[in-house]
């Protein structure tokens, strides 16, 4: 035993993720790798029409196929209930289909091949209906209704449950949701403006492209209890919602989360395949495994929300922002998932990214026969930032200020409260701007490119910047935004951390283990994290809103501090010392002033256990952040902390082909405090690449409700050779509420890239493009049009 131990810390170091060895070694078992005894394989028959009435479904031949155990349609599950944010669709569609994703029938069979063969034997007779694929057309007075009232307008039919979801009561129009927000007086703001710009921006469909496709295994035990192996990001919300859908006691539902091959928000809602697997398990009395094909993942998983956004912005000659008005038209698709609610985040960027005294925001999300959108990393912020940050450059140019000075003039300081009610208790916004600008040599390159762009030459260089504001301490959108932790220590000094927080590849279990080590003075190897079973773990609201490090981190610290207090109190009594003079280091109890070892932690724990008053060290803690629900006008301090970032993008534009090459990204992120530098770098770099795809290459092409590129051959995901050089700097603002001062940053790095790229293309060519992605064709057409306009 050492005589003395000096204080050490894991905070800020480069720590390999705890699950890395298993993943790198091919030992991790994803949902695709899991099999349970007696399982059947489920497959779904989807619509062959974009919009049609279902006249008849004939399943006789499929049911007769050897090896088939069940073929079900909506008629076989009269107990099914509507799902989705607006409760506007049934897992198995009843009398009509509204998109090609729609589920008509499902099969459970001995093998996948038999299940697929059975699908081909199902005959469906349709009556085609007019297709709505343009959200503008959905608002026309004579537009066909996507969700007409199912039993007529009088609502007298017994099944027409007026108080319930749209699937029961229908809609008299195609408007799924509206959002309205205002602050100040935009008319007054416009009157005092010297410069005003108005533009319409077109934001497109992209899909998550998770390496692991969607899947589930559903199983009932002989007592009727339901077990689901599910990749959900929100297991406890899922448990509650499944109970509602299935009319079951939530206590009889258990969810186990296998390791996930990518989430990014795509597993935040219940989608039809999940209850359908449960229906099949119930019908057959056997476990049912249902896993998407890659093509099915493109066709039937959620997307990022496509938006048509019109922004009007103004400023004074001295660079002071005066107002913003925004109107967005969200293409809701056929049904309502979380994508329709992205205005919740978009309006925060519109109202509070920079000081804006006057703001008016309006959104309509309208039904079409297109795919529907879900939650996606950044949650509407990529779309809003794309518009706001282009106007920032345009206004700066109009009044003759450089883009950096214009932004710094309007950037907030720590302690400010925005008109929407967000309190920036810690705020590294200005430091992000200056750090990214200085590290990239922004001003000098910007001016040099401006001077060069009119000169002859095929290849043009450009540099552009954009900043972002996002929640960094959760978001109070449910009654609780908290997380629970149970911590237990064994007789040998090992720690089991049982957390409600889900690990979806973001590295949360490593960070939580680090935070516990910091409190208990144990090595990382002494901590085991349990986080994947609702039967064991305490409640958490799930992985979203960049909340896990902040919320689950504070919860883990709370439990560890209770254990630390218990240990030091006991040690003080045994050693005849004051607990305040003791510390925990490297698995030992030591004197805090000089590190002199008093005893090993393991010995102390055993002495507690085997004493006359036998005691184990087990604690629990529930952390609820001090954030608040927004009021009915969308005002309130919705997050416990806010993250900031500035990213500078350098591009090369081939003016002959329209090809834009991303050369370098320099980023500065207000992360509160660095916990795991390696994990943080990985998170930022991954987000930059996701933003790069959104800006340049990725697009889910949807024509008249049909996805035209459901595969990686035609869906252009960024590959390794295209990834630019990256220089990422971290700003530590030590947030007072954050765990060890940290903030959440999971969504932040993807948000700015498209906006900064747009500004860089303008710096290189003088051409501004308001629609994504910046494909060679689109860029070439814009350059060509600008050349023709100049020549006219």
């Amino acid at each position: 035993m050492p005589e003395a131990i000096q204080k050490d810390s894991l905070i800020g170091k480069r720590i390999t993720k705890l699950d890395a060895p298993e993943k790198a070694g091919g030992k991790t078992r994803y949902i695709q790798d899991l099999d349970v005894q007696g399982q059947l394989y489920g497959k779904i028959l989807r619509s062959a029409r974009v919009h049609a009435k279902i006249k008849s479904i004939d399943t006789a031949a499929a049911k007769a196929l050897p090896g088939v155990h069940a073929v079900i349609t909506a008629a076989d599950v009269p107990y099914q209930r509507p799902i989705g944010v607006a409760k506007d669709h049934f897992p198995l569609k009843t009398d009509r289909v509204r998109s090609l994703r729609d589920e008509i029938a499902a099969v459970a069979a001995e093998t996948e091949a038999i299940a697929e063969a059975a699908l081909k034997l199902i005959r469906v007779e349709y009556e085609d209906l007019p297709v709505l694929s343009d959200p503008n057309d959905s608002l026309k007075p004579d537009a066909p209704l996507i969700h007409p009232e199912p039993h007529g307008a009088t609502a007298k039919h017994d099944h027409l449950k007026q108080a319930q979801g749209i699937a029961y009561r229908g809609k008299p129009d195609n408007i799924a949701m509206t959002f309205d927000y205002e602050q100040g007086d935009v008319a007054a703001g416009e009157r005092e403006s010297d410069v005003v710009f108005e533009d319409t921006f077109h934001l497109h469909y992209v899909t998550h492209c998770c390496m692991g496709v969607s899947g589930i295994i559903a199983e009932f035990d002989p007592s009727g209890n339901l077990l689901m192996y599910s990749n959900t990001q929100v297991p406890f919300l899922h448990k509650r919602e499944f109970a509602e859908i299935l009319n079951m006691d939530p206590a009889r539902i258990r969810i186990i989360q296998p390791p996930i091959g990518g989430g990014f928000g795509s597993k935040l809602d219940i989608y039809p395949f999940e209850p359908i697997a449960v229906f099949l398990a119930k019908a057959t009395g056997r476990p049912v495994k249902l896993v998407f094909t890659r093509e099915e993942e493109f066709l039937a998983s959620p997307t990022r929300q496509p938006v048509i956004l019109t922004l009007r912005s103004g400023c004074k000659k001295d660079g002071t922002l005066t107002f913003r008005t925004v109107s967005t038209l969200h293409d809701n698709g056929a049904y309502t998932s979380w994508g329709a609610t992205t205005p919740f985040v978009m309006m925060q960027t519109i109202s509070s990214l920079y000081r804006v005294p006057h703001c008016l925001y309006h959104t309509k999300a309208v039904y079409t026969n297109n795919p529907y959108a879900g939650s996606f990393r950044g949650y509407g912020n990529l779309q809003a930032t794309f518009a706001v940050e282009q106007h920032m450059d345009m206004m700066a140019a109009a009044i003759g200020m450089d883009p950096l000075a214009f932004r710094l003039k309007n950037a907030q300081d720590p302690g400010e409260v925005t008109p929407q009610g967000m309190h920036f208790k810690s705020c590294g916004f200005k430091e992000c701007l200056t750090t990214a600008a200085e590290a990239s040599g922004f001003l000098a390159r910007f001016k040099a490119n401006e001077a060069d762009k009119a000169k002859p030459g095929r290849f043009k260089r450009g540099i552009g910047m954009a900043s972002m504001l996002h929640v960094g301490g959760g978001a109070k959108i449910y009654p609780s935004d908290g997380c629970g932790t149970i911590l237990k220590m064994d007789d040998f000094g090992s720690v089991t951390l049982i957390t409600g927080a889900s690990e979806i590849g973001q590295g949360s279990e490593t960070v939580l283990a680090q935070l516990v080590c910091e409190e208990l003075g144990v090595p990382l190897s002494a901590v085991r994290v349990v986080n994947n079973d609702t039967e064991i773990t305490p409640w958490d609201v799930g992985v979203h809103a960049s909340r896990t490090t902040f919320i689950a981190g504070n919860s883990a610290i709370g439990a560890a501090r209770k254990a630390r207090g218990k240990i030091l109190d006991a040690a003080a009594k045994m050693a005849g010392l004051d607990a305040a003079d003791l510390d925990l280091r490297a698995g030992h109890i030591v004197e805090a002033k000089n590190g002199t070892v008093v005893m090993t932690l393991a010995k102390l724990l055993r002495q507690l256990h085997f004493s006359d008053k036998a005691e184990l060290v087990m604690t629990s803690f529930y952390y609820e952040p001090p954030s608040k629900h927004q009021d009915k006008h969308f005002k309130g301090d919705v997050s416990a902390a806010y993250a900031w970032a500035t990213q500078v993008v350098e591009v090369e534009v081939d003016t002959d082909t329209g090809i834009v090459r991303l050369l370098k990204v320099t980023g500065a992120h207000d992360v509160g405090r660095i916990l795991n530098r390696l994990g943080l770098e990985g998170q930022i770099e991954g987000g930059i690449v996701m933003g790069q795809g959104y800006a340049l290459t990725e697009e889910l092409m949807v024509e008249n409700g049909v996805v035209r590129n459901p595969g990686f051959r035609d869906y252009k995901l960024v590959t390794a050779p295209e990834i630019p050089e990256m220089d990422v700097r971290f700003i530590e603002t030590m947030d007072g509420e954050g765990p060890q001062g940290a903030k959440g940053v999971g969504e932040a790095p993807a948000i700015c890239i498209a906006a900064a790229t747009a500004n860089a293309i303008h710096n290189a060519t003088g051409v501004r493009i308001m629609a994504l992605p910046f494909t060679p064709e689109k860029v070439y057409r814009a350059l060509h049009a600008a050349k023709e306009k100049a020549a006219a």
Side-chain angles (χ1 to χ4, degrees):
M1 188 166 69
E3 291 184 358
I5 300 171
Q6 298 307 306
K7 197 170 182 62
D8 195 10
S9 174
L10 292 173
I11 302 300
K13 292 187 175 174
R14 301 173 65 84
I15 309 293
T16 302
K17 288 166 67 174
L18 297 179
D19 60 1
E22 283 212 346
K23 285 185 174 174
K27 301 290 186 186
T28 302
R29 299 183 71 216
Y30 298 94
I31 187 78
Q32 289 79 5
D33 305 311
L34 297 181
D35 292 306
V36 299
Q37 190 171 12
Q39 97 185 0
L40 299 171
Y41 294 86
K43 287 287 177 185
I44 294 171
L45 179 71
R46 300 185 185 280
S47 176
R49 299 287 192 277
V50 175
H51 193 198
K53 287 183 179 176
I54 301 172
K55 303 294 288 182
S56 66
I57 307 173
D58 182 355
T59 60
K63 285 178 177 173
L65 187 69
V68 170
H69 286 252
V71 181
I72 59 172
T73 67
D76 299 301
V77 282
Y79 56 88
Q80 71 168 338
R81 297 185 180 186
I83 61 174
V85 171
K87 298 289 183 283
D88 55 10
H89 66 134
F90 292 100
L92 286 165
K93 306 306 180 275
T94 53
D95 60 343
R96 71 168 58 203
V97 290
R98 299 172 176 85
S99 80
L100 285 179
R101 290 182 171 182
D102 281 13
E103 299 78 7
I104 294 177
V107 173
E110 290 289 344
T111 67
E112 282 189 283
I114 295 172
E116 286 172 356
L119 292 184
K120 293 174 182 171
L121 297 175
I122 300 172
R123 298 287 174 261
V124 184
E125 186 184 356
Y126 300 96
E127 178 184 319
D128 284 324
L129 294 168
V131 172
L132 268 179
S133 58
D134 184 335
N136 288 299
D137 291 341
S138 299
L139 293 171
K140 292 178 178 174
D142 58 347
L145 295 179
I146 304 296
H147 291 273
E149 292 163 293
H151 301 290
T154 60
K156 290 181 179 176
H157 193 285
D158 288 344
H159 297 111
L160 198 59
K161 301 171 182 176
Q162 286 294 315
Q164 296 197 24
I166 292 167
Y168 288 119
R169 61 183 165 81
K171 291 231 7 128
D173 54 37
N174 286 321
I175 299 174
M177 284 188 170
T178 61
F179 292 82
D180 289 286
Y181 170 80
E182 64 178 311
Q183 66 192 35
D185 180 347
V186 291
E190 183 154 355
R191 281 195 300 273
E192 58 190 37
S193 301
D194 297 306
V195 170
V196 173
F197 282 98
E198 179 173 320
D199 291 286
T200 296
F201 301 82
H202 294 264
L203 294 313
H204 61 308
Y205 274 110
V206 293
T207 190
H208 296 77
C209 296
C210 301
M211 289 179 68
V213 295
S214 303
I216 186 172
I217 300 173
E219 177 179 13
F220 286 94
D221 71 13
S223 301
N225 299 310
L226 173 61
L227 167 62
M228 287 182 284
Y229 295 88
S230 165
N231 280 334
T232 177
Q233 295 178 216
V234 287
F236 289 94
L237 296 181
H238 249 44
K239 191 174 152 104
R240 187 194 66 189
E241 290 177 25
F242 264 105
E244 185 182 322
I245 292 168
L246 302 169
N247 197 24
M248 283 182 70
D249 178 357
R252 298 176 63 194
I253 298 175
R254 177 184 183 186
I255 295 176
I256 295 176
Q257 298 163 279
I260 188 171
F264 313 113
S266 65
K267 277 84 174 174
L268 212 60
D269 205 352
I270 288 180
Y271 292 105
F273 75 95
E274 296 162 298
I276 286 173
V278 176
F279 299 156
L280 289 171
K282 195 168 186 176
T284 60
R286 300 263 295 266
V288 172
K289 179 177 181 178
L290 198 161
V291 178
F292 279 11
T293 63
R294 175 55 68 184
E295 182 179 5
E296 204 170 18
E297 185 76 9
F298 272 100
L299 294 172
S301 60
T303 69
R304 189 180 292 286
Q305 183 68 56
V307 175
I308 302 169
L309 187 156
T310 299
L311 170 65
R312 189 172 174 84
S313 312
C315 72
K316 298 178 182 176
K317 285 179 183 173
D318 68 357
T320 306
L321 290 174
T322 48
F323 78 98
R324 284 184 193 137
T325 61
V326 169
S327 174
T328 81
L329 184 60
H330 280 42
D331 183 345
N332 197 60
Y335 306 104
T336 309
S337 185
W338 286 112
T341 68
T342 50
F344 179 78
V345 169
M346 295 176 79
M347 68 175 70
Q348 291 173 6
T349 291
I350 301 299
S351 75
S352 303
L353 179 58
Y354 306 101
R355 287 187 206 97
V356 184
H358 310 293
C359 174
L360 196 60
Y361 178 94
H362 174 69
T363 284
K364 276 183 186 160
V366 297
Y367 287 112
T368 65
N369 296 116
N370 292 328
Y372 49 96
S375 169
F376 202 144
R377 193 179 196 174
Y379 207 75
N381 211 345
L382 284 77
Q383 295 94 319
T385 301
F386 180 69
V388 166
E389 282 290 351
Q390 286 206 69
H391 266 200
M392 291 298 286
D393 260 29
M394 292 163 69
M395 287 188 285
I399 61 170
M401 283 182 81
D402 74 62
L404 175 62
F406 185 60
R407 286 175 169 84
L408 283 169
K409 182 174 180 64
N410 293 289
Q412 289 96 336
D413 291 306
E416 289 193 42
V417 180
T418 75
Q420 199 179 356
M422 289 180 274
H423 186 187
F424 301 142
K425 294 176 275 291
S426 64
C427 174
F429 191 7
K430 288 182 176 175
E431 204 172 347
C432 286
L433 279 161
T434 54
T435 301
E438 188 176 330
S440 62
F442 175 79
L443 285 178
R445 291 175 190 269
F446 183 84
K447 290 173 184 172
N449 294 333
E450 285 286 318
D452 288 347
K453 69 184 173 192
K455 296 178 181 175
R458 174 177 170 178
F459 296 97
K460 298 292 181 184
R461 293 288 179 100
I463 190 167
M465 68 162 44
S467 297
M468 73 99 223
L469 154 70
H470 203 73
V471 293
K476 189 72 69 90
I477 55 176
Y478 295 100
S480 167
D481 193 33
C483 176
T485 299
I486 300 167
L487 185 148
K488 72 182 182 75
M489 303 187 72
D490 68 14
D491 289 353
F492 311 101
S494 293
V495 182
T496 301
L497 174 69
I498 306 169
T499 173
S502 300
E503 169 67 57
I504 64 166
Q506 78 276 47
S508 66
E509 66 182 14
T510 309
V511 164
L512 299 182
Q514 282 181 255
L515 293 169
V516 166
C517 291
E518 194 70 9
E519 299 298 328
L520 297 180
V522 294
L524 201 61
S525 58
V527 181
R528 179 168 178 263
V529 181
V530 177
N531 55 6
N532 64 347
D533 188 343
T534 58
E535 205 91 312
I536 299 167
T537 56
W539 196 88
D540 177 69
V541 79
V543 184
H544 58 86
S546 301
R547 63 183 291 281
T548 302
T549 291
F550 196 99
I551 307 292
N554 274 323
S555 180
I557 288 174
R561 284 183 179 165
K562 287 171 78 172
R564 175 187 172 90
K566 200 170 183 178
I567 291 165
L568 292 184
D569 284 345
K573 288 177 186 171
M574 291 179 194
L577 297 169
D578 193 322
D581 295 329
L582 297 176
D583 196 6
L584 296 172
R585 297 177 191 170
H588 295 75
I589 293 136
V590 302
E591 294 182 32
K593 61 184 178 186
N594 53 23
T596 301
V597 171
V598 176
M599 68 178 79
T600 67
L601 177 58
K603 182 178 179 183
L604 180 279
L605 292 167
R606 286 195 293 273
Q607 289 190 7
L608 269 177
H609 184 183
F610 297 111
S611 66
D612 293 340
K613 296 179 180 178
E615 196 172 1
L616 299 177
V617 176
M618 294 191 294
T619 61
S620 66
F621 190 79
Y622 187 80
Y623 174 74
E624 183 68 40
S627 49
K628 296 173 184 172
H629 288 281
Q630 291 180 333
D631 62 20
K632 62 181 180 181
H633 303 295
F634 296 106
K635 293 188 176 180
D637 194 18
V638 72
S639 183
Y642 297 89
W644 303 89
T646 298
Q647 289 174 330
V648 174
V649 164
E650 295 173 61
V651 301
E652 180 184 78
V653 182
D654 182 339
T655 58
D656 281 1
T657 64
I659 292 174
V660 177
R661 209 156 58 87
L662 214 58
L663 302 175
K664 185 175 181 181
V665 174
T666 305
H669 288 256
D670 172 6
V671 299
R673 187 181 184 190
I674 301 166
L675 297 180
N676 179 359
R677 183 175 286 276
L678 185 64
L680 192 53
E681 288 171 351
Q683 189 74 280
I684 301 297
E685 290 169 3
I688 287 173
V689 174
M690 187 170 269
Q692 179 185 3
Y694 185 63
L696 294 177
T697 63
E698 291 185 49
E699 181 174 20
L700 193 70
M701 297 176 181
V702 181
E703 293 176 5
N704 295 320
V706 180
V707 175
R708 296 296 187 191
N709 56 340
F712 283 124
R713 187 190 65 179
D714 300 314
Y715 186 92
K716 304 297 185 187
L717 207 59
V718 172
T719 57
E722 300 158 280
I723 294 173
E725 177 187 353
M726 297 181 198
D727 178 3
V728 179
R729 314 289 175 100
F730 298 122
I731 309 300
E732 295 191 293
T733 49
M734 301 298 289
D735 188 85
E737 183 68 20
Q740 294 285 344
K743 300 178 182 181
V745 296
E747 296 170 275
I751 292 170
C752 298
I753 296 295
T757 302
N759 288 335
I761 291 172
H762 183 268
N763 180 237
T765 65
V767 173
R768 193 158 285 286
I769 306 173
M770 308 297 189
L772 287 172
F774 300 130
T775 58
E777 180 182 346
K778 193 175 289 173
V779 173
Y780 177 81
R781 286 180 183 278
L783 295 175
H784 193 68
K787 198 179 291 183
E788 283 190 337
K789 188 178 178 183

